[in-house]
């Protein structure tokens, strides 16, 4: 089936099998391997991407054909003009990652969180990332990083928008 | 594992979806949020020949209060219900439930009606819908709409009253009266574990009544042992959850400090 998907601001037209999952479409058809596949069964959240900028979705549990006509933002779309997104910079500053496997999903889940709730408290952050599993750094520094980004984005709201 | 091959059809209206179901036959399935169906297809527990995608039908995404009930359309995501202001004010049982379904990312995709149609015995919405005496509207192949009480909708595990060629389009939860409340309780090892619950009517609240309900729940619970716990543990926890749910619901009605 022919689909047209805008990923990180760029439009892609591809012919895909309906059973192709969005995560594999991004990684294998488009070569965007920043989106990770962890559990492959919608539990771990490594594969989270943003859909139409305001919804975090697990791309292992969605078909690529469902993204037809939509805008997807992956971790590759966060950095703009060589400058890390405030969330990425905050994960760096706060040591919010160690092996980095869960990081793309953590970033995209928190990216959407901050769109809906620009100033979440600690409990709200922990709840929002409850579907994203980290098995090495631990959540403490991830939460700190999201808090830092929230503060920075409040001071500079234009930095929140990426993609198109 | 990837799902078995299937054909995909994107419906743009309820009529379009129902006509597609008629055209594609028994093996066609509706694809709503896909948060249960897609994993089931990946494990090859489900093998539909055609998916009729209803995600593009914008008119199905609504939460509306009218005529003594709250109507939730088949396109409404858990997240939309969870964040609807009137839920937090008046529909506390639904508020509890919507905040405990799977995890927050899954809730941005998953739908309430889809969960009812999947009817996993460990799912959250079938339990709450039973307790709340919900009704489900179903569009028939002829284009008519029939409404089914939840007791008749839920037939057996993974089986509902939605027949071949039919599509569930809406669930209605009765608006709670001023002296009605509810509470949803769940024990999970981690988010995304699957669910249990209860609601009482008619009796005068007392600690003895709650204890009697807890004992009754332990007696009627018929769990299977698995790596989440033994039969003995699960029966005991059924009692504990029922006790917490009743106490929680009563507290919301301002009935605390029972004797």
């Amino acid at each position: 089936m022919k689909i047209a998907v805008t990923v990180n601001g760029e439009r892609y037209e591809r012919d895909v099998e309906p059973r192709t999952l969005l995560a594999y479409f991004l990684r294998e058809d488009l070569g965007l391997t920043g989106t990770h596949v962890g559990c492959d069964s919608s539990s771990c959240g490594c594969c989270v991407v943003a859909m139409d900028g305001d919804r975090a979705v697990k791309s292992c549990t969605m078909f690529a054909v469902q993204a037809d006509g939509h805008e997807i933002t992956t971790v590759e779309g966060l950095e703009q003009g060589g400058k890390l997104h405030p969330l990425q910079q905050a994960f760096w500053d706060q040591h919010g990652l160690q092996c980095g496997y869960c990081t793309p999903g953590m970033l995209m889940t928190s990216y959407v969180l901050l769109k809906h709730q620009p100033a979440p408290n600690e409990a709200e952050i922990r709840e929002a990332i409850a579907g994203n599993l980290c098995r090495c750094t631990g959540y403490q520094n991830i939460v700190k990083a999201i808090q830092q980004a929230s503060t920075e984005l409040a001071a500079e709201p234009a930095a929140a928008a990426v993609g198109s | 594992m990837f799902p078995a091959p299937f054909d995909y059809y994107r419906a743009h209206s309820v009529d379009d979806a129902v006509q597609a179901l008629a055209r594609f036959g028994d093996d066609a399935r509706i694809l709503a949020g896909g948060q249960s169906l897609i994993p089931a297809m990946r494990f090859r527990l489900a093998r539909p020949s055609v998916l009729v995608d209803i995600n593009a039908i914008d008119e199905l995404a609504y939460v509306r209060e009218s005529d003594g009930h709250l109507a939730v359309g088949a396109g409404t995501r858990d997240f939309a219900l969870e964040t609807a202001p009137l839920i937090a004010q008046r529909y506390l049982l639904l508020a509890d439930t919507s905040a405990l379904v799977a995890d927050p990312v899954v809730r941005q995709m998953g739908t309430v009606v889809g969960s009812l149609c999947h009817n996993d015995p460990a799912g959250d919405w079938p339990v709450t819908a039973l307790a709340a005496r919900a009704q489900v509207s179903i569009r028939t192949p002829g284009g008519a709409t029939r409404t089914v009480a939840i007791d008749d909708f839920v037939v057996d595990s993974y089986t509902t009253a939605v027949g071949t060629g039919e599509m569930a389009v809406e669930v209605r939860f009765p608006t709670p009266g001023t002296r009605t409340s509810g509470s949803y309780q769940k024990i999970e090892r981690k988010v995304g574990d699957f669910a249990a619950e209860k609601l009482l009517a008619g009796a005068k609240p007392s600690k003895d009544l709650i204890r009697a309900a807890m004992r009754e729940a332990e007696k009627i619970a018929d769990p299977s042992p698995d790596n989440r716990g033994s039969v003995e543990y699960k029966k005991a926890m059924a009692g504990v959850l029922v006790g917490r749910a009743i106490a929680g619901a009563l507290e919301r009605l301002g009935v605390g400090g029972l004797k």
Side-chain angles (χ1 to χ4, degrees):
Chain A
M1 181 179 164
K2 284 200 168 28
I3 60 170
V5 189
T6 302
V7 181
N8 302 330
E10 192 170 333
R11 185 182 154 94
Y12 296 89
E13 289 180 29
R14 292 287 190 279
D15 201 358
V16 297
E17 243 194 301
R19 64 172 170 165
T20 306
L21 295 148
L22 180 60
Y24 292 86
F25 173 74
L26 293 169
R27 290 178 55 84
E28 292 170 9
D29 290 28
L30 304 188
L32 295 169
T33 54
T35 298
H36 292 169
V37 174
C39 69
D40 220 3
S41 56
S42 96
S43 298
C44 78
C46 286
C47 66
V48 172
V49 299
M51 185 161 164
D52 299 324
D54 63 357
R55 187 148 38 119
V57 298
K58 293 188 175 177
S59 64
C60 80
T61 307
M62 176 177 161
F63 296 112
V65 288
Q66 294 179 269
D68 183 27
H70 290 275
E71 284 186 29
I72 301 295
T73 309
T74 69
V75 67
E76 288 96 338
L78 289 179
E79 163 267 318
Q80 297 285 297
K83 188 167 184 281
L84 292 180
H85 186 275
L87 268 165
Q88 293 173 304
Q89 187 61 50
F91 270 68
W92 180 324
D93 293 345
Q94 300 293 338
H95 193 71
L97 66 151
Q98 191 165 287
C99 85
Y101 206 86
C102 72
T103 311
M106 287 287 181
L107 286 167
M108 298 320 295
T109 297
S110 41
Y111 170 74
V112 172
L113 166 70
L114 295 180
K115 288 222 163 172
H116 290 295
Q117 268 178 295
N121 62 32
E122 183 182 335
E124 287 164 342
I125 292 172
R126 287 183 183 273
E127 163 65 16
I129 60 169
N132 294 75
L133 304 184
C134 167
R135 285 291 172 262
C136 64
T137 311
Y139 299 96
Q140 193 58 41
N141 289 347
I142 292 172
V143 172
K144 279 190 203 160
I146 298 169
Q147 286 171 321
Q148 175 184 321
S150 154
T151 309
E152 281 172 17
L153 286 167
E156 189 200 351
V162 299
S164 45
Chain B
M1 184 153 55
F2 293 130
F6 58 88
D7 288 325
Y8 173 86
Y9 180 79
R10 186 177 304 134
H12 291 282
S13 69
V14 173
D15 287 341
D16 186 14
V18 172
Q19 284 161 14
L21 288 176
R23 211 160 52 240
F24 297 127
D26 291 2
D27 289 339
R29 287 279 299 268
I30 295 281
L31 173 64
Q35 302 302 287
S36 299
L37 180 58
I38 295 175
M41 289 171 69
R42 301 197 61 167
F43 292 122
R44 305 280 170 115
L45 298 170
R47 248 183 127 136
S49 58
V50 183
L51 285 185
V52 177
D53 185 354
I54 61 166
N55 283 279
I57 309 177
D58 293 337
E59 76 218 33
L60 280 177
Y62 58 85
V63 179
R64 268 184 226 133
E65 195 179 35
S66 63
D67 302 334
H69 64 252
L70 186 83
V72 179
T76 306
R77 318 271 171 200
D78 287 304
F79 182 72
L81 186 63
E82 185 183 355
T83 51
L86 74 160
I87 300 298
Q89 293 154 13
R90 303 185 55 185
Y91 295 86
L92 301 181
L93 178 61
L94 305 189
D96 283 356
T97 309
S98 63
L100 283 172
V101 174
D103 68 58
V105 177
V106 169
R107 294 202 291 272
Q108 294 178 52
M109 198 68 183
T111 65
V112 179
V113 173
S115 162
L116 290 174
C117 292
H118 186 60
N119 194 21
D120 186 328
D124 297 281
W125 285 116
V127 183
T128 287
L130 280 166
R133 310 245 194 286
Q135 294 187 313
V136 183
S137 296
I138 299 170
R139 187 69 65 94
T140 67
T145 301
R146 64 188 181 101
T147 301
V148 181
I150 192 70
D151 286 345
D152 299 319
F153 179 84
V154 173
V155 175
D156 202 346
S157 297
Y158 304 104
T159 308
T160 68
V162 179
T164 300
E166 293 188 324
M167 171 183 164
V169 290
E170 180 182 280
V171 58
R172 291 182 201 163
F173 298 98
T175 304
T178 50
R179 292 184 55 74
T180 305
S181 189
S183 168
Y184 187 77
Q185 308 282 335
K186 174 167 160 180
I187 291 176
E188 48 184 5
R189 293 176 306 175
K190 64 168 199 50
V191 293
D193 255 16
F194 289 93
E197 175 255 12
K198 208 81 209 180
L199 195 132
L200 271 197
K204 188 167 169 19
S206 69
K207 276 199 172 155
D208 281 345
L209 179 74
I210 295 180
R211 272 193 290 271
M214 290 170 68
R215 278 196 301 274
E216 186 62 20
E218 286 170 19
K219 209 160 39 171
I220 60 176
D222 183 18
S224 315
D226 59 20
N227 58 10
R228 291 175 174 81
S230 62
V231 167
E232 190 186 12
Y233 169 77
K234 288 188 177 183
K235 281 174 98 66
M237 288 308 108
V240 167
L241 287 175
V242 165
R244 283 182 194 164
I246 298 171
L250 288 172
E251 200 149 298
R252 287 171 165 175
L253 291 172
V255 187
L258 292 175
K259 287 183 189 150

